[in-house]
Every structure is written in structure tokens, then in C-alpha cells.
Amino acid sequence: MIRHRRRLDRRATLGPVRTILGAVTIAVLAAGCGGVDASHVTAAAVVPLDEAPLTDAAAARVVGVGEATHGNKEFVQVRKLIIQKLVREHGFRTVALEADFGGTAAAADYVMGGRGSAEDAAKALGFDIYRTRETADLLKWLHDHNETAADRDKVHLYGFDLQRYDHNKQRLLSYLAEVDPAQVKPVRTALADLTDANRQTLSGERLATAAKAAEQVVTQLKAKQQAYERAGVKAGQQAGERADSKGERQAQERGSLEAGRRAYAPAGSAGAFALALHHAETIQRSAQLQTSGTGYARKRDAWMAANITWIADREAAQGRKKVIVAGHDGHIDKSGAAFSFPSMGPRLAETYGDDYFAIGTDFGTSTFISRDDGSGERRRFTVTHDAPLAKLFGREPMGYLNLAEAVAADPANRRLLASEVPMGSVGDGFRSVYTAMSWTYTVKTVPTKAYDAVVFVPKATPVSPL
């Protein structure tokens, strides 16, 4: 979730002395397709999204699906259409959302086993942006797909964000209750101050103490696992000494080491310790974010990229090698245009190279729901920008454009897509005054550096809150 990030980054350098009138004047002078000549471009390469085969994306190991705003119905529908196509026709079996890791684990209970409802699952994801009918519909589709799919074809759901505590604590404590009951009370006490309710109000010494306690919980979990592994090695060595042959000794040692590794995980639940540890690390990092000040966004994006790699590796070990990653354009973008530091997209591009395929989005007019930074309430806003990319999409209401194909189709297309152009971008946080200043809801982006494909929505409408 992006919380109007440019006010924390590039926009902060504009200075508070700039008047609203001056800002509006600058915005007006910058209008007209962002100063880029789009008069000769062609829409020959665009296809309706629901007809796009997505064979271009399907070749990649990780496919990023962006959204220009968090509060538009159409961008959630874009996400759903792409997920459906990649699952049904291209063998993708893992979906990772820009949502709380622990809350998404709760939503995955519904997606995998049918417990609860799609609405409850959407609310569990952790952020207001997901408490919508459209997100519930996506989760319902995943649930229905899994209900009839063979085990190998079920879609596994994860969250890669780390800004919440409660569901992560619940999952960690449930694990400990099963494998190490004596640790439940001390861990619960150590993490007591870290709650979703006081996440933004806990500060000072109490926050620093709570963050340190979370770090110690992670350290203790790792130490406990290492102790079990050492015990397994020792048992294996002792058994090996009693064995009659070299082969028997090696078998005994391997079996005892594996027993040590599994001793701290529920029977029959491979990887349970890794999951519990990741919940603990999510709690720790969430607390560390709250102490990060101006480094918050930088740390968050770095950790989200690391979480995606953790998810991809975990899934690949179980035979599911392809992952769909869904989040805001600002995180998906390979060039990191919205930030002055290496954000999630550039980190994924560095890790996976050509195996990372990024799909961005843009709009002409958008009426969206967001948190009002003034009142704190969620309300509707409407913004319009003269999108230079619009002419590449003709009259398509939801067109898909492979940028390499568009570049090859016409020299004018190539010039436009290799130029820095404004693309729509709104996080979860806005003010009415921003509607008069297009630079507050656009990001200067070179499309061919940022994305492999783009979906354009001429008129985006608001989500339906639950």
C-alpha cells in the first residue's frame, strides 16, 4: 500500500513556501500530454485485456500486476482477469498480494479450505483498500477454483507486506502452543505492546522496548531450532557409533538430523517452523518500521522485495515455480520512478532479470476512494490527467499493450514510450486540494524502462466498500 509516497520523497523537496496558486500554475503549464508529442502514435498493437493471451507474461517466473490507484474498481478487475488467465492457461499457482503477511494467511484459510466467507477474508488482509466487494470477488474466485482443483492445481495465497501485528502474533502463538507450550506466555507478554490498534500511536521508549522484544523473540526461535538440530546431529553420531556399517551410520545420522529439524514443527506439517519464524520476523520488521522515521519507505520496499523472494523460493521447493505479485504501480515499476531509492520493482528486476515481467496501469479520469489526509475519513475524489499513453489504446475501455510490440509497430510509438511521460498514480491518502495539481497524482515515468506491458482505463470508477 502506497500512502501518497511522493510527499515523503521527491515532492518534499518542493518546500512548504510554494503557494497553491504557484503550484496550480506549474501544473497548467505542464499540461498537454506532459509536453510529449503523441499525435502520430498508433493503436495497432492494443488488444482488449479479456482477449489478451498473456503468453508474453507467462514465460516469466514472477509477474507483477500493478494498479495506478488503490481505490478503483477497474484496477481490481484488471488484477482478477490477469490472475484468472495465468492460472487457467499458464500454470501459475501462487498469488502474492501487497497485504499483511499474517492477515493474508487468515484469508488463505478461506481460499484453501473454505472456512469463513470471502468478505471476512477480504477484511483480514489488513488494509482498508481491500475491504471491498471487488477484492472479495477475487478471493471468492480463488476459493471456487481451489474447491474443484486437484491438489497440484490449487492456488496458494500470500501477503508480502509487513505493517500489521495481530494476525502474525496469533499464528505464531498458535504454533508455539502446539510445539512448545511453555513459550506461549513469555512470547505473548513480550509482544503485548505491539498491536494493530496502537501501531501508529506507540512511540518513544515503549516502542523501542517492544521492537527489541520482537527481535529477541526471533533470535530465541532461531536458537531453539539450532539447538534441536545440534541435538539431532549428536543423536545421529551416537547412533552411528552403534551401527554396524558405514551405510547404516549415514542413514542414522541423516534421520536424526531430520528429526531434530522437525522436532520444532507440528507432525506432518513441513515448513511449519519457517512459516512461524516468518510471522515472528514480520512482527519484528513492522516494529522496526515504526522506529525508522524518514527511512520507513526505503526499508519497507526492501523487505517487501525480500518477502517476495522468500515466497517464490518456498513455493518453488514445492513445485510451484511461477508467482503473480499484485500491488501498487509504484512498487511494481522496474525503474522505481516514484522513489529516490531502490524500491521493490528495481530490486525484483535485479533479482530475476528477464524472469520478472511487470504490467503497469494508467487512467484518464479516475474517481476513487481513499483516506482523506485531512479528516482521516474515507471518501471519494476525482482526478483527470491528459495521459500521453491514451492514444496508444484507441477506444478500448480496458486495453492491454505489450510495449515491445507497440514499439515495433511504429516509430512514433517508440519515441513516446521511450520518453518520460506522466502516468496516473494515487496511493491511500489524498486531499481535495491535490485535484487541482496533476503532479500530485502522476509520476514522470519512462514506460519502456518501467514496464513490459500496460493496461489503460480511460474512466476508472470507485470500488464498492464492504
Side-chain angles (χ1 to χ4, degrees), residues 142-330:
L142 291 171
H143 164 271
D144 291 351
H145 167 85
N146 285 345
E147 197 168 42
T148 58
D151 285 347
R152 67 179 181 278
D153 293 327
K154 293 184 187 298
V155 178
H156 294 247
L157 181 67
Y158 290 86
F160 59 84
D161 210 339
L162 55 148
Q163 300 181 95
R164 295 293 185 270
Y165 300 117
D166 291 355
H167 281 292
N168 289 290
K169 287 169 61 176
Q170 179 184 351
R171 297 265 160 170
L172 173 60
L173 292 170
S174 294
Y175 171 81
L176 291 174
E178 187 167 355
V179 303
D180 197 353
Q183 290 299 310
V184 172
K185 185 176 180 179
V187 170
R188 180 184 287 119
T189 300
L191 303 178
D193 275 346
L194 299 175
T195 68
D196 290 354
N198 70 2
R199 187 179 66 86
Q200 293 182 313
T201 58
L202 187 67
S203 60
E205 186 175 343
R206 281 186 67 192
L207 174 58
T209 300
K212 184 64 176 178
E215 181 182 355
Q216 290 172 345
V217 168
V218 171
T219 299
Q220 290 166 2
L221 278 173
K222 290 180 178 178
K224 180 78 74 169
Q225 177 70 354
Q226 290 168 358
Y228 273 89
E229 289 189 8
R230 287 194 297 271
V233 170
K234 184 176 181 180
Q237 290 171 342
Q238 292 172 344
E241 292 170 0
R242 297 191 297 268
D244 293 332
S245 69
K246 182 179 179 181
E248 287 181 0
R249 286 196 298 272
Q250 291 175 337
Q252 289 277 12
E253 290 170 5
R254 286 196 301 270
S256 296
L257 176 58
E258 181 62 21
R261 287 174 175 161
R262 294 186 60 186
Y264 219 54
S269 180
F273 175 77
L275 275 176
L277 179 60
H278 204 74
H279 284 297
E281 289 174 333
T282 299
I283 297 165
Q284 174 193 1
R285 289 171 177 173
S286 183
Q288 288 175 336
L289 282 180
Q290 298 305 314
T291 67
S292 297
T294 57
Y296 188 108
R298 178 190 295 269
K299 286 185 177 180
R300 178 180 171 232
D301 264 59
W303 281 332
M304 288 197 300
N307 284 346
I308 290 169
T309 298
W310 181 89
I311 291 166
D313 290 347
R314 174 181 171 83
E315 289 293 281
Q318 300 175 64
R320 297 181 290 273
K321 295 182 179 180
K322 292 178 176 290
V323 180
I324 304 165
V325 175
H328 194 280
D329 277 349

Side-chain angles (χ1 to χ4, degrees), residues 327-410:
H328 194 280
D329 277 349
H331 301 304
I332 299 299
D333 166 15
K334 293 181 178 183
S335 70
F339 299 100
S340 61
F341 53 82
S343 52
M344 190 183 91
R347 290 174 181 274
L348 293 179
E350 181 179 4
T351 299
Y352 296 104
D354 291 340
D355 253 346
Y356 176 53
F357 189 95
I359 303 174
T361 60
D362 195 7
F363 60 80
T365 296
S366 171
T367 299
F368 59 91
I369 293 179
S370 177
R371 182 180 57 83
D372 188 316
D373 280 343
S375 68
E377 298 178 353
R378 302 194 70 75
R379 55 176 293 246
R380 291 188 180 195
F381 299 91
T382 298
V383 296
T384 298
H385 85 108
D386 189 9
L389 300 187
K391 291 185 178 180
L392 291 166
F393 293 85
R395 296 182 178 276
E396 285 296 334
M398 191 179 284
Y400 178 88
L401 188 69
N402 178 290
L403 299 193
E405 293 178 2
V407 164
D410 191 281

Side-chain angles (χ1 to χ4, degrees), residues 383-444:
V383 296
T384 298
H385 85 108
D386 189 9
L389 300 187
K391 291 185 178 180
L392 291 166
F393 293 85
R395 296 182 178 276
E396 285 296 334
M398 191 179 284
Y400 178 88
L401 188 69
N402 178 290
L403 299 193
E405 293 178 2
V407 164
D410 191 281
N413 293 359
R414 181 175 63 253
R415 287 191 294 272
L416 173 62
L417 290 169
S419 301
E420 189 178 71
V421 299
M423 294 183 67
S425 181
V426 180
D428 191 42
F430 206 70
R431 294 175 184 265
S432 294
V433 68
Y434 296 155
T435 61
M437 301 175 282
S438 65
W439 54 268
T440 68
Y441 55 85
T442 59
V443 170
K444 290 292 186 67

